[in-house]
Amino acid sequence: MKQLILLLSAFAGPFLAPAQSPDSGALPPAGSPNRPYFQQRVDYRIEVTLDDKNRSLDGFITLQYTNHSPDTLSFIWMHCWPNAYKNDRSAFSEQLLGNGRTDFYFSTQQQRGYINRLDFRVDGLEARMEDHPQYIDVIKVILPRPLPPEGHVTLTTPFHVRLPFNFSRGGYTLSGSRAALSGSGAALARRPGSSLRAPVEPVAPPLASYQITQWYPKPAVYDNRGWHPLPYLDQGEFYSEFGDFDVRITVPKAFVVAATGRLTDSSLTASTRTLHYEQSRIHDFAWFADRRFLTRHDTLQLPSGRIIDVYAYYTPREARAWSKSTDYIKRAVLFRSALIGEYPFDVVTAVQTKMGSTGGMEYPTITAINLDGTPKDLDLTIEHEVGHNWFYAVLGSNERRYPWMDEGINTYYDDRYEALYYPAADNSRVIADIDTRAVEHTDQPMATASEDFTESNYYNIAYNKTAAWMRMLQDSLGVPLFDSCMRTYFRTWQFKHPYPEDFRSVIKRTSKRCLDTLFSLPGKTGALPPMPAHRRIRPALVFSLEHTDSVQYLSFSPAFSYNIYDRVMVGALIHNFNLPPAPWQFFLLPLYATNSRQLNGAGALMRTFYPDDGLQKVRVMVGGARFSSDSGVDSNGHRLFGGYYKIAPSIRLVLKNGVARSTVERSVEWKTFLIGEKNLDNYVLKSTDSLAYPTAGKYRFRYLNQLSLQIRDDRVLYPYKALLQLQQASHFYRADLVLDYFFNYAKGGGLDFRLFGSKFGYLGSRYAGEDLTRYEPKLTGVRGNEDYTYSNWFIGRNAFDGGPSQQIMDRDGNLPLRTDLFQDLQGRSDNWVAAVNFRSTLPRALVPEWLPVKAFFNAGTYAGAWSDNPATSRFLYAGGFELDLAADVIRVYIPLVYSSDFSSQLKTVPDQNTFLKKLSFSISLQNIDFRKLFGNMPF
């Protein structure tokens, strides 16, 4: 199983450590990798019937369990994985939330699933069952009599499965509906995808398609490390015992079925079809049922002369895309057979079916494919999933504990296949992503267990870094010797459970090479050696020049900007932000202003450190900017421009998070703003017309120190952020506390809650002529001239008329009303201000999803409102609608209800009391996630 990676966008330690059972209490005292190898056997006979009306299964299973261990067993852990879909408290549900998905969490009861009606008998005797202390989808079957070494027992039970909507790998999907098309974002193949909203079934449900996987009670593996009772997970696959399967499937007559193994016979009744499948030496069984399936059949002669059957099942809609599917399957089988060992089964099948996400998922002899892409995409996905018949179906490693042994080695062969049939393929972005994580110390060892990986590392490390490490092993041995080693590994461990030390032992023994250094790497973090300059990549800009060894590349692109004073500004963006990032990074943005005819722009130089302990990242940075902020005409008719420059040195510390999958970030930042301002506030009277004209002034210097303490959790469910910011300048201090919390709605969207509080005070003696008003916190909209750190982009920073004057800044109390003509209504204070803000998405029944309309209601108070004879009511409020454009970057506020204080004053100024004049908007470029857009950009 592998995801399509889009190009846009100490070995003896953990590597050799024994697999840890989720319930270590079940481990035998002697459980260790030093015990002699043994392997249990489980043979299955299953009869199952599909109830299409109720989307359920009714079945009966007979298991013959053979104990080849040296231990006497008193119980058997049993996987009942359909219960992973029973409620939102399963390990599966928790992992989905951790990976950024809420679709299952907010799913309806009808979309969930379970398994019940279990009644285990062991050799005819009733067996008691116990719940696992942690996982709802694992149970313990207590054997009525102990099972001695080399003994066997027969377990039987009926079972009923309520099939879930396909949030992950199995269940049902609905053809032709939003539910079928939304997908649940399971990570199943080479292309990641996600849906954050629960699928919505139409009033008249369309026909269902079924993906029946992980559907029957299955014993956990017991090996020389002990028991391995595993909960079902979306990220992380399976570990099961080998045996023979005899399965009879009964479905409504209209359904076409594709399944694991060979169809040996079938029978019909007036309304049902029963199909009988058999397959030996496998550890799982999956099947798929759809009324629409078309079938393509071919045969393939293997190098030994043996002939196997090749099947492809697909819907009419995908008939054209799947016209070469059997050719792709055959080519994949021949490719792997030549390099690793001959395909051992008599049938190989690929099925096009909707699943939880775009991609594919492997099962013995059969693979499910859900892909909308190019023929190349389909070919590579089929090759990867068919390839899992070697690394999963035959070499049955513990994928949950060591995903690199399955996904990583399989990906290595994918890369060889792609290089052979698509030689123009470029994997530089993949390697650069791996190296970037190593530089930033956010990577994890290849030997990490599946559930312990972050979602992105699961693909970047377990898949792609392992494939790169395998290429290093290939290059070290040479291709012929490497291929010989891998064939020996396959021959030695086929239909068994190899562990990492088994793989290493075969490679070292066959090659007769000392490979200790190479085999120590999967247990370590860091880039794979070497990391030459050509492994750096740069953003896709207009052109780039190779530079020095430390910078690697300089990148150039045209740049444009605008404000009403400088008007159009043209220039270039010059930077060295490549992947992986260099220790020293910079960007320059020189801009020529066509109106003010001056050189403006911005730039920054930074040095980033990634300490080993305590801190995740330390960034030392100095940035600067210069732009015009006002304009006028002097008494001689010459254009004058006010403006600012700023230099802002800073240091930011990001504290290390002890849990790799945690989404919490804690940071501390110190920044000093060194600002020069030239204002057009010195006017003279001209005798000839008695009018006042501005004169050219000088830059006035000021500073401001700022300390920011922040904790945030960008989890998908109920994310929050808390910011404490302390500011100090020559004659004042200001302390702001901002708390943000998001309440998710079950059907998508949610409620943003923001709490703001600010305390302002004076330092030393106040100068009579000094006006500190712009620094004071306020309730109503913050204007451009009040952005005293020049941290926001304004079209007209000092505009008082026209569209630019209606721009505000999302700061302070955030009541989106402009009260320029009514200073007493601003809720401003030189003491304290407090406010609450609510923003909510609207029901989709009222507002279509494509229309980004939200409702808002903001309210607050301030110190002055509680004094004698206050200028306003104690509480001020404003509410209405908001157009949220470009993911919180551009917001347009439409106030409809507000305090009587505002409405009364607006009536006194009719030209300000119009609908358009009451609108305001904000532009928050700082909300753009440049890292997602361009990779390692620091803005």
Side-chain angles (χ1 to χ4, degrees):
M1 188 272 285
K2 178 180 180 182
Q3 284 207 346
L4 284 170
I5 305 299
L6 296 176
L7 295 183
L8 298 177
S9 40
F11 190 93
F15 188 83
L16 292 183
Q20 297 299 311
S21 167
D23 180 27
S24 58
L27 290 174
S32 80
N34 297 320
R35 300 183 75 196
Y37 180 85
F38 63 83
Q39 182 174 321
Q40 310 291 64
R41 178 185 178 98
V42 183
D43 295 317
Y44 296 82
R45 188 167 69 251
I46 308 175
E47 296 180 356
V48 63
T49 299
L50 171 66
D51 182 343
D52 181 42
K53 180 180 179 181
N54 295 306
R55 295 174 186 150
S56 64
L57 304 175
D58 287 288
F60 191 89
I61 186 169
T62 301
L63 307 170
Q64 180 164 300
Y65 188 98
T66 303
N67 179 20
H68 290 306
S69 81
D71 307 312
T72 296
L73 303 181
S74 60
F75 62 86
I76 296 174
W77 282 113
M78 197 73 64
H79 294 145
C80 300
W81 282 331
N83 278 342
Y85 304 92
K86 189 175 183 179
N87 56 48
D88 58 21
R89 297 181 298 279
S90 65
F92 164 72
S93 178
E94 292 297 322
Q95 187 189 68
L96 287 192
L97 291 175
N99 284 350
R101 290 176 48 193
T102 60
D103 52 346
F104 177 74
Y105 183 86
F106 287 121
S107 61
T108 66
Q109 194 61 40
Q110 290 73 28
Q111 293 167 334
R112 296 186 176 181
Y114 53 81
I115 184 170
N116 63 6
R117 302 179 192 171
L118 298 174
D119 182 16
F120 278 99
R121 307 279 167 158
V122 179
D123 292 336
L125 300 176
E126 183 178 357
R128 184 167 53 89
M129 294 179 290
E130 293 181 0
D131 294 333
H132 190 282
Q134 186 176 356
Y135 306 122
I136 66 172
D137 51 349
V138 180
I139 64 171
K140 180 188 288 185
V141 177
I142 310 299
L143 302 178
R145 291 191 292 262
L147 178 61
E150 298 307 323
H152 62 82
V153 292
T154 300
L155 294 87
T156 62
T157 185
F159 64 94
H160 172 81
V161 176
R162 163 67 175 168
L163 295 168
F165 186 88
N166 197 326
F167 296 98
S168 183
R169 301 174 176 91
Y172 70 90
T173 56
L174 303 175
S175 60
S177 74
R178 290 177 57 192
L181 300 177
S182 67
S184 61
L188 301 183
R190 301 173 103 194
R191 179 176 297 148
S194 69
S195 172
L196 303 183
R197 297 167 55 251
V200 178
E201 297 184 24
V203 175
L207 300 179
S209 175
Y210 296 95
Q211 306 81 40
I212 312 301
T213 65
Q214 312 304 337
W215 52 284
Y216 53 90
K218 181 192 299 185
V221 171
Y222 184 73
D223 61 17
N224 61 356
R225 284 133 168 95
W227 283 106
H228 299 269
L230 308 172
Y232 179 86
L233 295 177
D234 185 66
Q235 177 182 301
E237 296 177 13
F238 314 112
Y239 187 36
S240 305
E241 301 285 14
F242 283 94
D244 296 343
F245 280 75
D246 184 315
V247 181
R248 283 178 167 83
I249 302 169
T250 299
V251 297
K253 187 176 181 179
F255 278 90
V256 178
V257 174
T260 293
R262 178 177 290 281
L263 177 64
T264 60
D265 61 80
S266 63
S267 60
L268 289 173
T269 68
S271 59
T272 65
R273 180 190 307 271
T274 299
L275 304 104
H276 182 197
Y277 292 88
E278 296 180 345
Q279 184 61 56
S280 61
R281 300 189 301 177
I282 58 173
H283 51 67
D284 203 357
F285 190 100
W287 54 284
F288 306 86
D290 197 306
R291 295 173 175 84
R292 303 164 299 160
F293 274 154
L294 302 176
T295 306
R296 185 178 293 270
H297 173 247
D298 203 345
T299 58
L300 174 64
Q301 184 173 9
L302 299 175
S304 66
R306 186 164 57 91
I307 296 176
I308 67 171
D309 287 298
V310 179
Y311 289 95
Y313 293 79
Y314 49 88
T315 59
R317 179 182 176 185
E318 301 297 330
R320 182 174 180 181
W322 278 65
S323 62
K324 295 183 178 180
S325 54
T326 52
D327 294 335
Y328 297 151
I329 298 170
K330 292 192 296 182
R331 189 162 74 177
V333 170
L334 290 175
F335 174 80
R336 298 283 180 127
S337 294
L339 290 182
I340 308 167
E342 187 168 283
Y343 184 78
F345 306 116
D346 293 331
V347 61
V348 58
T349 303
V351 183
Q352 176 261 314
T353 185
K354 290 291 182 183
M355 293 185 298
S357 79
T358 300
M361 182 62 204
E362 73 278 0
Y363 305 94
T365 78
I366 192 169
T367 181
I369 306 292
N370 176 26
L371 186 71
D372 293 322
T374 66
K376 175 185 174 182
D377 292 336
L378 181 60
D379 184 12
L380 295 179
T381 304
I382 287 177
E383 187 278 332
H384 175 86
E385 305 303 342
V386 168
H388 273 300
N389 281 286
W390 283 261
F391 301 101
Y392 157 75
V394 177
L395 294 170
S397 60
N398 185 346
E399 300 182 74
R400 184 68 63 85
R401 176 59 187 87
Y402 298 105
W404 71 267
M405 294 187 70
D406 172 83
E407 299 295 356
I409 296 178
N410 200 43
T411 301
Y412 161 79
Y413 284 99
D414 295 344
D415 293 344
R416 286 185 67 170
Y417 180 91
E418 186 172 17
L420 178 64
Y421 292 104
Y422 303 95
D426 179 14
N427 70 341
S428 60
R429 179 59 187 249
V430 173
I431 298 300
D433 284 344
I434 296 170
D435 292 342
T436 297
R437 296 175 188 278
V439 169
E440 296 180 344
H441 291 192
T442 57
D443 61 337
Q444 296 170 270
M446 286 178 271
T448 302
S450 297
E451 63 267 34
D452 294 333
F453 274 116
T454 65
E455 183 183 24
S456 56
N457 277 344
Y458 181 62
Y459 301 104
N460 279 284
I461 305 297
Y463 287 69
N464 297 320
K465 188 176 181 180
T466 301
W469 175 77
M470 288 287 290
R471 287 194 294 275
M472 292 179 61
L473 186 59
Q474 167 204 285
D475 293 343
S476 176
L477 298 177
V479 174
L481 179 56
F482 173 87
D483 287 344
S484 176
C485 291
M486 293 303 294
R487 284 191 288 269
T488 301
Y489 172 56
F490 181 75
R491 242 182 357 258
T492 304
W493 285 97
Q494 59 183 334
F495 306 112
K496 297 180 181 178
H497 300 308
Y499 273 89
E501 62 269 21
D502 302 315
F503 176 68
R504 180 183 68 170
S505 177
V506 169
I507 301 300
K508 293 182 69 173
R509 184 176 65 249
T510 305
S511 67
K512 297 180 172 59
R513 301 280 184 86
C514 179
L515 301 168
D516 290 346
T517 300
L518 267 175
F519 276 99
S520 70
L521 297 177
K524 298 178 179 179
T525 56
L528 294 174
M531 195 171 85
H534 70 266
R535 276 169 59 175
R536 295 186 182 275
I537 68 167
R538 56 203 183 275
L541 301 176
V542 174
F543 66 93
S544 300
L545 298 176
E546 190 169 349
H547 196 49
T548 66
D549 291 339
S550 61
V551 176
Q552 304 305 333
Y553 293 99
L554 284 180
S555 297
F556 298 78
S557 67
F560 307 90
S561 188
Y562 177 86
N563 64 50
I564 63 172
Y565 316 113
D566 295 306
R567 301 291 174 87
V568 175
M569 290 172 276
V570 296
L573 173 62
I574 309 165
H575 68 88
N576 72 329
F577 295 107
N578 310 303
L579 297 178
W584 286 95
Q585 296 175 298
F586 73 92
F587 78 91
L588 292 174
L589 184 65
L591 296 166
Y592 176 74
T594 58
N595 189 46
S596 61
R597 298 182 182 181
Q598 65 183 17
L599 184 63
N600 292 333
L605 174 67
M606 64 202 71
R607 176 68 164 89
T608 306
F609 305 87
Y610 300 94
D612 291 328
D613 298 310
L615 297 173
Q616 177 66 42
K617 179 169 63 177
V618 178
R619 171 161 288 169
V620 180
M621 177 174 173
V622 58
R626 175 190 173 181
F627 291 95
S628 297
S629 58
D630 204 352
S631 64
V633 179
D634 68 11
S635 59
N636 295 317
H638 299 143
R639 297 285 294 175
L640 299 178
F641 294 91
Y644 72 93
Y645 68 82
K646 75 171 181 178
I647 300 173
S650 65
I651 179 170
R652 185 171 187 263
L653 313 178
V654 179
L655 280 64
K656 187 179 291 293
N657 207 323
V659 180
R661 285 182 57 83
S662 174
T663 51
V664 176
E665 180 185 279
R666 300 173 179 86
S667 64
V668 180
E669 182 186 62
W670 176 272
K671 180 180 286 189
T672 295
F673 296 90
L674 307 173
I675 297 174
E677 296 170 304
K678 183 168 65 173
N679 299 318
L680 302 183
D681 55 3
N682 185 24
Y683 290 84
V684 297
L685 287 176
K686 187 176 181 182
S687 60
T688 56
D689 58 15
S690 299
L691 296 178
Y693 292 86
T695 60
K698 296 181 179 181
Y699 281 98
R700 300 170 187 170
F701 174 80
R702 62 179 175 87
Y703 77 91
L704 184 139
N705 294 318
Q706 178 176 286
L707 176 65
S708 301
L709 309 174
Q710 180 173 273
I711 179 172
R712 63 186 301 158
D713 190 340
D714 292 327
R715 61 193 184 187
V716 67
L717 188 67
Y718 311 130
Y720 66 86
K721 178 175 65 175
L723 172 66
L724 175 61
Q725 194 168 82
L726 308 175
Q727 295 178 336
Q728 174 265 324
S730 58
H731 293 105
F732 75 90
Y733 70 87
R734 174 171 167 166
D736 291 349
L737 177 64
V738 184
L739 304 177
D740 288 286
Y741 201 94
F742 182 80
F743 295 89
N744 303 73
Y745 294 154
K747 295 184 178 180
L751 172 69
D752 279 294
F753 170 75
R754 177 178 180 266
L755 179 64
F756 170 78
S758 183
K759 179 69 174 74
F760 187 90
Y762 298 100
L763 297 174
S765 301
R766 291 191 60 188
Y767 293 98
E770 185 177 29
D771 184 7
L772 298 180
T773 303
R774 65 188 296 207
Y775 307 103
E776 296 170 356
K778 58 184 292 192
L779 290 179
T780 57
V782 175
R783 299 288 309 279
N785 64 324
E786 296 165 328
D787 177 20
Y788 51 84
T789 61
Y790 294 94
S791 298
N792 211 74
W793 179 74
F794 279 86
I795 300 174
R797 190 172 290 274
N798 285 284
F800 285 95
D801 193 18
S805 71
Q806 295 176 254
Q807 183 178 353
I808 62 173
M809 186 177 178
D810 292 324
R811 203 189 75 188
D812 293 7
N814 216 24
L815 274 65
L817 290 170
R818 295 175 298 110
T819 53
D820 311 323
L821 299 180
F822 316 109
Q823 295 294 320
D824 290 340
L825 293 183
Q826 295 190 11
R828 187 188 300 277
S829 176
D830 63 355
N831 190 353
W832 60 265
V833 169
V836 291
N837 305 152
F838 299 92
R839 298 168 61 228
S840 176
T841 54
L842 299 175
R844 297 305 180 200
L846 300 177
V847 178
E849 187 173 0
W850 56 266
L851 187 60
V853 176
K854 297 180 179 181
F856 74 86
F857 182 81
N858 302 337
T861 186
Y862 62 104
W866 298 84
S867 64
D868 295 334
N869 300 316
T872 68
S873 303
R874 287 186 171 178
F875 294 95
L876 301 177
Y877 64 86
F881 293 105
E882 165 194 323
L883 285 174
D884 187 2
L885 307 176
D888 291 337
V889 175
I890 302 175
R891 294 172 178 167
V892 179
Y893 298 99
I894 308 169
L896 298 177
V897 295
Y898 31 80
S899 303
S900 59
D901 303 74
F902 299 124
S903 58
S904 298
Q905 291 295 332
L906 284 171
K907 291 177 182 178
T908 67
V909 189
D911 63 335
Q912 296 292 317
N913 198 25
T914 65
F915 175 77
L916 292 178
K917 286 294 183 69
K918 286 186 286 189
L919 299 181
S920 60
F921 68 95
S922 65
I923 301 176
S924 303
L925 299 181
Q926 66 271 20
N927 288 344
I928 299 176
D929 192 339
F930 284 95
R931 189 177 182 86
K932 287 184 179 180
L933 290 176
F934 302 113
N936 191 51
M937 303 295 279
F939 310 111

